[in-house]
Amino acid sequence: MEAPEDGVTTGTVPFRGHETWYRVTGTIDPQSERAPLVVLHGGPGAAHNYTLAMTALADDGRAVVHYDQLGCGRSTHLPDADPSFWTVELFVAELRAVVEHLGIADRFHLLGQSWGGMLGPEVVLADDSGILSLSICDSPASMPLWLQAANELRDELPADVQATLLAHEEAGTTDSAEYKAAEEVFYDRHVCRVVPNPPEVTASFAQIDDDPTVYHAMNGPSEFHVIGSLKEWSVVDRVQDIRVPTLVVAGAYDEAKPIVWQPFVERIPDVRSHVFPSSSHMPHVEEPEAFTEVVGAFLREHD
Protein backbone atom coordinates (compact mmCIF):
# COMPACT_ATOMS: atom_id res chain seq x y z
CA MET A 1 0.00 0.00 0.00
CA GLU A 2 1.28 3.45 -0.91
CA ALA A 3 1.35 6.20 1.72
CA PRO A 4 -1.74 8.45 1.87
CA GLU A 5 -1.55 11.62 -0.20
CA ASP A 6 -4.25 14.29 0.05
CA GLY A 7 -6.54 11.80 1.77
CA VAL A 8 -6.06 9.16 -0.96
CA THR A 9 -4.42 5.76 -0.47
CA THR A 10 -3.59 3.35 -3.30
CA GLY A 11 -2.39 -0.23 -3.44
CA THR A 12 -2.91 -3.61 -5.05
CA VAL A 13 -4.74 -6.80 -4.12
CA PRO A 14 -3.38 -10.21 -5.18
CA PHE A 15 -6.08 -11.95 -7.21
CA ARG A 16 -5.75 -15.30 -8.97
CA GLY A 17 -2.09 -14.75 -9.75
CA HIS A 18 -2.64 -11.17 -10.89
CA GLU A 19 -2.93 -7.71 -9.28
CA THR A 20 -6.06 -5.60 -8.78
CA TRP A 21 -5.29 -1.92 -8.21
CA TYR A 22 -7.41 0.09 -5.76
CA ARG A 23 -7.80 3.67 -4.58
CA VAL A 24 -9.32 4.71 -1.23
CA THR A 25 -10.55 8.27 -0.71
CA GLY A 26 -10.79 9.01 2.99
CA THR A 27 -9.92 6.67 5.85
CA ILE A 28 -11.23 3.17 6.41
CA ASP A 29 -12.19 3.14 10.09
CA PRO A 30 -14.17 0.16 11.47
CA GLN A 31 -15.50 2.43 14.22
CA SER A 32 -16.81 5.09 11.83
CA GLU A 33 -20.52 5.83 11.72
CA ARG A 34 -20.23 5.98 7.92
CA ALA A 35 -19.65 2.62 6.23
CA PRO A 36 -17.27 2.49 3.24
CA LEU A 37 -18.67 2.66 -0.28
CA VAL A 38 -17.21 0.40 -2.97
CA VAL A 39 -17.66 1.57 -6.58
CA LEU A 40 -17.92 -0.91 -9.47
CA HIS A 41 -17.00 0.80 -12.74
CA GLY A 42 -18.51 0.08 -16.13
CA GLY A 43 -17.35 -1.20 -19.47
CA PRO A 44 -16.63 -4.01 -18.91
CA GLY A 45 -13.08 -2.74 -19.03
CA ALA A 46 -13.63 1.02 -18.69
CA ALA A 47 -11.44 1.53 -15.57
CA HIS A 48 -12.34 3.69 -12.60
CA ASN A 49 -11.37 7.15 -13.93
CA TYR A 50 -14.76 8.32 -15.22
CA THR A 51 -16.37 7.57 -11.83
CA LEU A 52 -13.94 9.71 -9.81
CA ALA A 53 -16.61 12.40 -9.29
CA MET A 54 -18.14 9.91 -6.85
CA THR A 55 -15.32 10.71 -4.42
CA ALA A 56 -17.60 13.59 -3.37
CA LEU A 57 -19.53 10.94 -1.43
CA ALA A 58 -16.55 10.87 0.96
CA ASP A 59 -17.33 14.42 2.10
CA ASP A 60 -19.64 13.18 4.86
CA GLY A 61 -16.86 11.10 6.41
CA ARG A 62 -17.12 7.76 4.62
CA ALA A 63 -14.31 6.08 2.73
CA VAL A 64 -14.94 5.65 -1.01
CA VAL A 65 -13.17 2.72 -2.65
CA HIS A 66 -12.48 2.65 -6.38
CA TYR A 67 -10.65 -0.17 -8.11
CA ASP A 68 -9.79 -1.17 -11.65
CA GLN A 69 -11.29 -4.51 -12.51
CA LEU A 70 -8.85 -7.09 -13.83
CA GLY A 71 -7.82 -6.47 -17.43
CA CYS A 72 -7.99 -2.68 -17.42
CA GLY A 73 -6.64 0.53 -15.94
CA ARG A 74 -3.82 0.00 -13.44
CA SER A 75 -4.69 -3.62 -12.75
CA THR A 76 -3.07 -6.52 -14.60
CA HIS A 77 -3.80 -6.52 -18.33
CA LEU A 78 -4.27 -9.87 -20.05
CA PRO A 79 -4.54 -9.11 -23.79
CA ASP A 80 -3.85 -12.72 -24.73
CA ALA A 81 -6.45 -14.27 -22.43
CA ASP A 82 -9.01 -16.54 -24.03
CA PRO A 83 -12.39 -14.75 -24.26
CA SER A 84 -13.88 -17.47 -22.03
CA PHE A 85 -11.63 -16.23 -19.20
CA TRP A 86 -13.76 -13.11 -18.78
CA THR A 87 -16.84 -14.17 -16.80
CA VAL A 88 -19.29 -12.61 -14.36
CA GLU A 89 -18.06 -15.08 -11.74
CA LEU A 90 -14.50 -13.79 -12.15
CA PHE A 91 -15.53 -10.23 -11.35
CA VAL A 92 -17.81 -11.27 -8.46
CA ALA A 93 -14.85 -13.09 -6.90
CA GLU A 94 -12.59 -10.09 -7.50
CA LEU A 95 -14.95 -7.77 -5.60
CA ARG A 96 -14.88 -10.14 -2.64
CA ALA A 97 -11.07 -10.29 -2.78
CA VAL A 98 -10.90 -6.48 -2.65
CA VAL A 99 -13.22 -6.04 0.34
CA GLU A 100 -11.50 -8.87 2.23
CA HIS A 101 -8.09 -7.33 1.59
CA LEU A 102 -9.27 -3.91 2.79
CA GLY A 103 -10.89 -5.39 5.91
CA ILE A 104 -14.38 -4.11 5.10
CA ALA A 105 -16.11 -7.36 4.07
CA ASP A 106 -18.43 -7.28 7.07
CA ARG A 107 -19.81 -3.75 6.45
CA PHE A 108 -19.88 -1.81 3.20
CA HIS A 109 -22.16 -0.23 0.62
CA LEU A 110 -21.96 -1.33 -3.01
CA LEU A 111 -22.52 0.98 -5.99
CA GLY A 112 -22.31 -0.13 -9.61
CA GLN A 113 -22.45 2.09 -12.68
CA SER A 114 -23.44 0.73 -16.13
CA TRP A 115 -21.76 -2.72 -16.35
CA GLY A 116 -20.93 -2.21 -12.66
CA GLY A 117 -24.68 -2.02 -11.99
CA MET A 118 -25.06 -5.39 -13.72
CA LEU A 119 -22.24 -6.82 -11.63
CA GLY A 120 -23.61 -5.41 -8.35
CA PRO A 121 -26.77 -7.54 -8.36
CA GLU A 122 -24.66 -10.58 -9.26
CA VAL A 123 -22.45 -9.91 -6.23
CA VAL A 124 -25.48 -9.55 -3.93
CA LEU A 125 -27.21 -12.64 -5.33
CA ALA A 126 -24.06 -14.73 -4.90
CA ASP A 127 -23.49 -13.58 -1.30
CA ASP A 128 -24.99 -10.49 0.33
CA SER A 129 -23.09 -10.80 3.59
CA GLY A 130 -21.74 -7.48 4.82
CA ILE A 131 -23.53 -5.45 2.13
CA LEU A 132 -25.60 -2.67 3.71
CA SER A 133 -27.09 -1.33 0.47
CA LEU A 134 -26.89 -1.59 -3.32
CA SER A 135 -26.99 1.36 -5.72
CA ILE A 136 -27.62 0.52 -9.39
CA CYS A 137 -26.71 3.44 -11.64
CA ASP A 138 -27.63 3.59 -15.34
CA SER A 139 -27.76 -0.18 -15.69
CA PRO A 140 -29.91 -2.84 -17.37
CA ALA A 141 -31.51 -5.87 -15.77
CA SER A 142 -30.86 -7.74 -19.02
CA MET A 143 -28.75 -7.25 -22.11
CA PRO A 144 -31.64 -8.02 -24.49
CA LEU A 145 -33.51 -5.07 -22.90
CA TRP A 146 -30.37 -2.96 -23.29
CA LEU A 147 -30.18 -3.77 -26.99
CA GLN A 148 -33.88 -3.01 -27.44
CA ALA A 149 -33.36 0.43 -25.88
CA ALA A 150 -30.19 1.05 -27.89
CA ASN A 151 -31.92 0.21 -31.16
CA GLU A 152 -34.80 2.56 -30.33
CA LEU A 153 -32.34 5.40 -29.66
CA ARG A 154 -30.30 4.50 -32.70
CA ASP A 155 -33.39 4.81 -34.89
CA GLU A 156 -33.62 8.44 -33.76
CA LEU A 157 -30.14 9.31 -35.06
CA PRO A 158 -29.74 11.20 -38.36
CA ALA A 159 -30.19 8.89 -41.35
CA ASP A 160 -26.61 9.30 -42.56
CA VAL A 161 -25.25 8.41 -39.13
CA GLN A 162 -27.41 5.28 -39.00
CA ALA A 163 -26.25 4.27 -42.47
CA THR A 164 -22.59 4.70 -41.55
CA LEU A 165 -22.94 2.61 -38.40
CA LEU A 166 -24.73 -0.21 -40.21
CA ALA A 167 -22.32 -0.27 -43.14
CA HIS A 168 -19.26 -0.64 -40.93
CA GLU A 169 -20.89 -3.21 -38.64
CA GLU A 170 -21.80 -5.35 -41.63
CA ALA A 171 -18.30 -4.94 -43.08
CA GLY A 172 -16.56 -5.66 -39.77
CA THR A 173 -14.76 -2.30 -39.89
CA THR A 174 -15.97 -0.88 -36.58
CA ASP A 175 -12.44 0.29 -35.78
CA SER A 176 -12.54 2.84 -38.63
CA ALA A 177 -12.43 6.59 -38.01
CA GLU A 178 -15.74 7.00 -39.85
CA TYR A 179 -17.49 4.54 -37.54
CA LYS A 180 -15.97 6.22 -34.46
CA ALA A 181 -17.27 9.62 -35.62
CA ALA A 182 -20.79 8.24 -36.14
CA GLU A 183 -20.61 6.48 -32.79
CA GLU A 184 -19.73 9.79 -31.13
CA VAL A 185 -23.06 11.29 -32.23
CA PHE A 186 -24.83 8.63 -30.16
CA TYR A 187 -22.42 9.02 -27.24
CA ASP A 188 -22.86 12.80 -27.07
CA ARG A 189 -26.63 12.33 -26.84
CA HIS A 190 -26.93 9.31 -24.58
CA VAL A 191 -23.63 8.57 -22.80
CA CYS A 192 -22.22 11.91 -21.59
CA ARG A 193 -23.85 15.21 -22.49
CA VAL A 194 -20.97 17.25 -21.07
CA VAL A 195 -19.18 18.03 -24.34
CA PRO A 196 -16.26 18.04 -24.61
CA ASN A 197 -16.09 15.20 -22.09
CA PRO A 198 -14.16 15.92 -18.87
CA PRO A 199 -10.59 14.52 -18.72
CA GLU A 200 -11.50 11.65 -16.39
CA VAL A 201 -14.17 10.48 -18.85
CA THR A 202 -11.88 10.68 -21.88
CA ALA A 203 -9.25 8.78 -19.87
CA SER A 204 -11.58 5.80 -19.45
CA PHE A 205 -12.55 5.83 -23.13
CA ALA A 206 -8.88 6.13 -24.13
CA GLN A 207 -7.83 3.14 -22.10
CA ILE A 208 -10.56 1.01 -23.70
CA ASP A 209 -9.12 2.04 -27.06
CA ASP A 210 -5.62 1.14 -25.84
CA ASP A 211 -6.68 -2.30 -24.58
CA PRO A 212 -10.22 -3.33 -25.58
CA THR A 213 -9.70 -6.97 -24.56
CA VAL A 214 -12.38 -7.17 -21.85
CA TYR A 215 -14.84 -4.83 -23.58
CA HIS A 216 -14.71 -6.72 -26.86
CA ALA A 217 -14.86 -10.15 -25.20
CA MET A 218 -17.88 -9.40 -23.01
CA ASN A 219 -19.66 -6.55 -24.80
CA GLY A 220 -18.52 -5.94 -28.36
CA PRO A 221 -17.22 -3.01 -30.43
CA SER A 222 -19.70 -0.38 -29.17
CA GLU A 223 -22.49 0.37 -26.72
CA PHE A 224 -25.14 -0.63 -29.25
CA HIS A 225 -23.39 -3.41 -31.17
CA VAL A 226 -23.25 -6.14 -28.52
CA ILE A 227 -21.83 -9.43 -29.79
CA GLY A 228 -19.81 -10.52 -26.73
CA SER A 229 -20.46 -13.07 -24.00
CA LEU A 230 -22.92 -10.79 -22.17
CA LYS A 231 -25.30 -10.68 -25.14
CA GLU A 232 -27.88 -12.94 -23.47
CA TRP A 233 -27.11 -11.94 -19.87
CA SER A 234 -30.11 -11.32 -17.57
CA VAL A 235 -30.98 -11.13 -13.87
CA VAL A 236 -34.65 -10.34 -14.47
CA ASP A 237 -35.80 -13.69 -13.09
CA ARG A 238 -33.56 -13.46 -10.02
CA VAL A 239 -33.76 -9.89 -8.74
CA GLN A 240 -36.69 -10.68 -6.45
CA ASP A 241 -34.11 -12.49 -4.30
CA ILE A 242 -32.14 -9.28 -3.63
CA ARG A 243 -32.69 -8.60 0.07
CA VAL A 244 -30.58 -5.47 0.63
CA PRO A 245 -32.04 -1.95 0.31
CA THR A 246 -31.57 -0.85 -3.29
CA LEU A 247 -31.46 2.49 -5.08
CA VAL A 248 -31.90 2.62 -8.87
CA VAL A 249 -30.92 5.82 -10.71
CA ALA A 250 -30.64 6.88 -14.34
CA GLY A 251 -30.65 9.98 -16.52
CA ALA A 252 -33.59 11.25 -18.56
CA TYR A 253 -31.50 10.97 -21.77
CA ASP A 254 -29.73 7.79 -20.67
CA GLU A 255 -28.95 4.98 -23.08
CA ALA A 256 -30.27 2.99 -20.12
CA LYS A 257 -33.89 3.83 -20.90
CA PRO A 258 -36.59 3.03 -18.30
CA ILE A 259 -37.39 -0.31 -19.95
CA VAL A 260 -33.92 -1.59 -19.03
CA TRP A 261 -34.06 -0.81 -15.31
CA GLN A 262 -37.79 -1.19 -14.67
CA PRO A 263 -37.43 -4.88 -13.67
CA PHE A 264 -35.24 -3.80 -10.75
CA VAL A 265 -37.90 -1.37 -9.55
CA GLU A 266 -40.76 -3.79 -10.08
CA ARG A 267 -39.19 -6.87 -8.52
CA ILE A 268 -36.64 -5.97 -5.83
CA PRO A 269 -38.55 -5.95 -2.51
CA ASP A 270 -36.88 -2.90 -0.90
CA VAL A 271 -36.23 -0.47 -3.74
CA ARG A 272 -36.56 3.16 -4.76
CA SER A 273 -35.62 5.02 -7.94
CA HIS A 274 -34.63 8.47 -9.15
CA VAL A 275 -34.23 9.97 -12.63
CA PHE A 276 -31.89 12.94 -13.13
CA PRO A 277 -33.63 15.31 -15.58
CA SER A 278 -30.58 16.80 -17.30
CA SER A 279 -28.39 13.70 -17.55
CA SER A 280 -27.75 10.82 -19.87
CA HIS A 281 -25.57 7.85 -18.85
CA MET A 282 -23.33 9.66 -16.37
CA PRO A 283 -25.40 11.70 -13.87
CA HIS A 284 -22.40 11.67 -11.53
CA VAL A 285 -20.60 13.77 -14.17
CA GLU A 286 -23.55 15.63 -15.70
CA GLU A 287 -25.36 16.57 -12.46
CA PRO A 288 -22.72 15.85 -9.82
CA GLU A 289 -24.23 17.85 -6.96
CA ALA A 290 -27.68 16.30 -7.40
CA PHE A 291 -26.14 12.84 -7.74
CA THR A 292 -24.14 13.27 -4.54
CA GLU A 293 -27.22 14.52 -2.71
CA VAL A 294 -29.50 11.65 -3.81
CA VAL A 295 -27.00 8.82 -3.39
CA GLY A 296 -25.45 10.30 -0.26
CA ALA A 297 -28.84 10.52 1.49
CA PHE A 298 -29.59 6.90 0.58
CA LEU A 299 -26.24 5.71 1.95
CA ARG A 300 -26.65 7.63 5.22
CA GLU A 301 -30.10 6.14 5.68
CA HIS A 302 -28.61 2.65 5.56
CA ASP A 303 -25.33 3.10 7.45
Side-chain angles (χ1 to χ4, degrees):
M1 180 182 292
E2 296 179 10
E5 182 178 338
D6 296 327
V8 174
T9 306
T10 61
T12 58
V13 179
F15 177 64
R16 297 190 178 181
H18 308 295
E19 297 286 336
T20 297
W21 179 90
Y22 68 83
R23 177 191 199 276
V24 180
T25 303
T27 302
I28 293 176
D29 176 5
Q31 306 304 316
S32 174
E33 178 187 358
R34 304 292 180 216
L37 170 68
V38 180
V39 177
L40 301 172
H41 67 68
H48 76 287
N49 307 67
Y50 80 98
T51 63
L52 279 173
M54 296 183 191
T55 56
L57 292 163
D59 289 348
D60 65 0
R62 82 177 68 253
V64 176
V65 179
H66 285 83
Y67 70 95
D68 287 336
Q69 294 160 26
L70 194 64
C72 73
R74 301 184 186 183
S75 294
T76 305
H77 285 236
L78 298 164
D80 298 322
D82 188 275
S84 63
F85 175 80
W86 306 106
T87 64
V88 170
E89 182 277 333
L90 173 79
F91 292 111
V92 169
E94 183 183 34
L95 175 280
R96 281 294 170 184
V98 170
V99 297
E100 290 285 350
H101 181 87
L102 293 175
I104 60 174
D106 60 345
R107 182 174 180 258
F108 66 101
H109 299 280
L110 189 61
L111 182 154
Q113 198 279 332
S114 196
W115 144 250
M118 299 160 64
L119 179 58
E122 293 279 14
V123 170
V124 170
L125 289 166
D127 176 10
D128 64 7
S129 60
I131 301 174
L132 299 180
S133 76
L134 172 64
S135 296
I136 299 172
C137 305
D138 322 283
S139 308
S142 87
M143 196 56 86
L145 287 174
W146 177 267
L147 286 171
Q148 179 185 336
N151 286 329
E152 290 175 2
L153 293 174
R154 184 166 159 159
D155 287 344
E156 297 172 6
L157 296 173
D160 61 325
V161 174
Q162 292 186 49
T164 299
L165 293 171
L166 184 60
H168 285 286
E169 287 164 3
E170 290 179 344
T173 51
T174 54
D175 58 350
S176 71
E178 190 177 37
Y179 184 85
K180 294 292 185 186
E183 183 182 58
E184 195 169 307
V185 177
F186 180 94
Y187 281 40
D188 288 349
R189 289 185 179 196
H190 302 298
V191 179
C192 183
R193 294 169 71 87
V194 179
V195 179
N197 294 163
E200 66 272 19
V201 175
T202 59
S204 285
F205 284 139
Q207 77 86 40
I208 287 182
D209 289 339
D210 289 342
D211 183 0
T213 304
V214 186
Y215 189 68
H216 283 181
M218 298 185 76
N219 186 83
S222 73
E223 293 294 277
F224 42 76
H225 189 45
V226 179
I227 54 177
S229 61
L230 289 174
K231 186 175 182 179
E232 303 300 328
W233 175 88
S234 176
V235 289
V236 170
D237 294 334
R238 294 183 283 146
V239 292
Q240 68 275 6
D241 295 326
I242 292 176
R243 299 300 172 188
V244 301
T246 302
L247 171 67
V248 178
V249 304
Y253 302 94
D254 208 324
E255 58 180 335
K257 294 179 66 174
I259 58 168
V260 313
W261 47 262
Q262 204 62 44
F264 293 131
V265 177
E266 293 173 350
R267 300 188 181 203
I268 295 175
D270 183 359
V271 67
R272 68 191 69 177
S273 62
H274 183 88
V275 174
F276 295 95
S278 300
S279 296
S280 59
H281 197 51
M282 299 186 187
H284 60 281
V285 173
E286 297 159 295
E287 296 180 73
E289 292 180 1
F291 181 89
T292 300
E293 181 179 344
V294 170
V295 176
F298 174 73
L299 298 178
R300 287 189 292 274
E301 184 178 337
H302 298 288
D303 277 323

